[in-house]
Each structure stands twice: as structure tokens, then as C-alpha cells.
Amino acid sequence: MDWLYAWTRNPMVLATLALGLSLGGWLQSVLFVLWVLILFAPAMLFIVKVYEERELEIRFGASYLEYKSRTPVLFPRKPRG
């Protein structure tokens, strides 16, 4: 298993959300930060949970379910032994 995907199942989603929030902070735009938090983040997480995870479960079966049970969706955590 790749090292980054052992910490979180969706590092690209996490990075995109962090970029959006950072950009909003850099631009000092409360409206942009709220847009990221209220509209963009839930939409991305909905796509990941509804479409992507279902597709991966179909494609990889039990191995993905085992990976899914030990790896967090978004917020990184040190991999379990």
C-alpha cells in the first residue's frame, strides 16, 4: 500500500479543500471560505461516498472493505500496524 493512502483514503480531496480554504484566507474572503465549507466540501464528500466508494467496493471487494475499515476517509491518522 502506498504510504500516503495508508494515512487517508482521499488525500487529493483533503489537499483540494485545504487549498480552497487557504486561498480564501489569503484573499481575506469570508464568502469564499463559506462557499468552500458549505457548498464545495459537502459536494466533494458526497461524490466520494456515493459514487467512488461504491465503485471501489464493486471493483476490489473484500480487500477494499478491509482497507476502508482501517483507513479514515479524510482526516489523516497514523497507519495501524
Side-chain angles (χ1 to χ4, degrees):
M1 180 182 324
D2 293 330
W3 69 273
L4 186 57
Y5 288 93
W7 289 75
T8 178
R9 291 196 313 259
N10 297 291
M12 291 189 301
V13 172
L14 180 63
T16 301
L17 295 176
L19 175 67
L21 293 174
S22 300
L23 185 60
W26 183 65
L27 295 172
Q28 297 178 358
S29 173
V30 174
L31 186 60
F32 189 83
V33 170
L34 289 175
W35 177 81
V36 168
L37 291 174
I38 294 171
L39 295 175
F40 189 68
M44 285 187 73
L45 293 174
F46 177 79
I47 290 169
V48 165
K49 295 296 282 181
V50 170
Y51 173 73
E52 186 177 298
E53 286 188 0
R54 182 172 28 124
E55 179 67 27
L56 291 170
E57 286 175 14
I58 293 168
R59 188 179 301 174
F60 297 109
S63 63
Y64 180 73
L65 291 174
E66 193 267 326
Y67 167 71
K68 185 178 170 181
S69 71
R70 64 179 154 74
T71 309
V73 175
L74 194 61
F75 298 106
R77 180 181 64 218
K78 187 174 180 179
R80 297 182 198 164

